[in-house]
Amino acid sequence: GAVVSQHPSWVICKSGTSVKIECRSLDFQATTMFWYRQFPKQSLMLMATSNEGSKATYEQGVEKDKFLINHASLTLSTLTVTSAHPEDSSFYICSARDGRLNTDTQYFGPGTRLTVL
Amino acid sequence: QKEVEQNSGPLSVPEGAIASLNCTYSDRGSQSFFWYRQYSGKSPELIMFIYSNGDKEDGRFTAQLNKASQYVSLLIRDSQPSDSATYLCAVKGTSYGKLTFGQGTILTVHP
């Protein structure tokens, strides 16, 4: 199978602090990972595309200095929410592209629920 | 016009019936099409993908693709209450690896 893990599964922090979320592909190498955000009762919104060994590509309207992405290896990408504020509270989900298939199938991690007080 | 459109529902079907979920997309260059299921509070899980015109079957699920009509659907046979979830249609266009998601269709299967 294709398993993607995320850590932590939930986090509560105070306003102004930074939070790091890890995304790992456990049984395959992922040269590309994606970070999404989902607010209640809304669909997934792509934040950025993370490529191993290069800078992430951010979607329009996403602040790259606030949402720092590092894809240091073929199995790990991290998202750091810097100086988090209550409006950043959301469900953050990563996905990893399984390059073994030619269809660009993405497998999702279980998500991280961030609550900023 | 949204790039990927789904009827938000809710779609309600009785247990044992066939649930039909539909999706249209605007980019004619789209190459691959995916159906994900998302339970409340959970992340999406892949049901199946399709990239050729026609039908693709996997157990109780059948995906149908018609590129000329820019239409993709998912049929769920013998629907079960455990199938109650939000179903997301995702389309890979010309951007490398990037998927565009529809807003999802809420399916409720009642006993």
Side-chain angles (χ1 to χ4, degrees), chain A residues 91-102:
Chain A
F91 191 39
Y92 291 86
I93 314 171
C94 74
S95 72
R97 174 181 169 270
D98 189 346
R100 297 171 297 182
L101 304 172
N102 292 328

Side-chain angles (χ1 to χ4, degrees), chain A:
Chain A
V3 180
V4 178
S5 69
Q6 253 182 271
H7 178 81
S9 56
W10 59 270
V11 58
I12 301 173
C13 69
K14 293 182 179 180
S15 184
T17 60
S18 294
V19 174
K20 179 186 282 190
I21 303 170
E22 292 186 349
C23 178
R24 293 181 186 273
S25 56
L26 298 185
D27 53 359
F28 65 100
Q29 293 183 332
T31 54
T32 306
M33 292 184 174
F34 303 86
W35 288 95
Y36 295 85
R37 182 167 52 180
Q38 187 175 38
F39 293 105
K41 300 191 185 301
Q42 294 186 22
S43 190
L44 297 168
M45 293 300 296
L46 179 66
M47 299 175 66
T49 302
S50 169
N51 294 297
E52 187 266 337
S54 65
K55 291 184 179 180
T57 303
Y58 291 82
E59 294 300 299
Q60 192 173 9
V62 177
E63 299 175 58
K64 61 181 180 181
D65 294 331
K66 181 171 183 60
F67 299 100
L68 302 179
I69 292 172
N70 183 275
H71 194 152
S73 76
L74 288 172
T75 59
L76 172 65
S77 176
T78 61
L79 167 68
T80 301
V81 183
T82 62
S83 187
H85 291 285
E87 58 266 29
D88 297 323
S89 299
S90 188
F91 191 39
Y92 291 86
I93 314 171
C94 74
S95 72
R97 174 181 169 270
D98 189 346
R100 297 171 297 182
L101 304 172
N102 292 328
T103 56
D104 287 302
T105 302
Q106 290 184 29
Y107 294 92
F108 285 87
T112 297
R113 197 162 300 281
L114 171 64
T115 302
V116 185
L117 303 176

Side-chain angles (χ1 to χ4, degrees), chain B residues 31-47:
Chain B
Q31 301 170 0
S32 306
F33 307 85
F34 303 83
W35 283 100
Y36 289 87
R37 176 173 62 194
Q38 186 175 24
Y39 292 111
S40 180
K42 303 295 184 182
S43 67
E45 57 178 320
L46 180 70
I47 298 174

